[in-house]
Amino acid sequence: MSKRTPGAWTVESDGTTVSMGGQCVIVAPAPDYRPQDQKANAALIAAAPEMAEALQALLACPAMNEDFAEVGTMQAYDLARIALHKAGVES
């Protein structure tokens, strides 16, 4: 995996601050500052490391073999690969 802040990321009780080990990593902004958007952004940011690991596991799965996979499976494979690349994560 590429360089990133290691460890479990959590959303603090305010619902908008993401921290790692009790230290603020990021405050999830929303363009119009709606609390529900900020909370959704924070949850997505906090889940990013686990989602990257899940996508890497998916790409390594033998069922994702291009020779045998269905079209929809290969489309999902491509989306996972693109997302990991965008995040700077090796796939």
Side-chain angles (χ1 to χ4, degrees), residues 16-75:
T16 63
T17 303
V18 179
S19 67
M20 189 275 305
Q23 296 183 349
C24 178
V25 175
I26 189 167
V27 176
D32 55 5
Y33 300 103
R34 295 185 322 173
Q36 64 269 28
D37 292 344
Q38 290 179 316
K39 289 178 180 181
N41 290 345
L44 183 61
I45 292 165
E50 289 87 359
M51 291 187 335
E53 288 176 25
L55 289 174
Q56 286 179 307
L58 179 71
L59 294 180
C61 181
M64 298 301 282
N65 185 309
E66 293 183 39
D67 295 333
F68 305 107
E70 295 181 16
V71 172
T73 301
M74 290 316 303
Q75 289 171 338

Side-chain angles (χ1 to χ4, degrees), residues 1-2 52 55-57 59-60 77-78 80-86 88-91:
M1 184 170 262
S2 66
L55 289 174
Q56 286 179 307
L59 294 180
Y77 180 94
D78 288 341
R81 191 178 42 75
I82 290 166
L84 288 171
H85 177 76
K86 183 176 181 180
V89 178
E90 296 176 17
S91 57

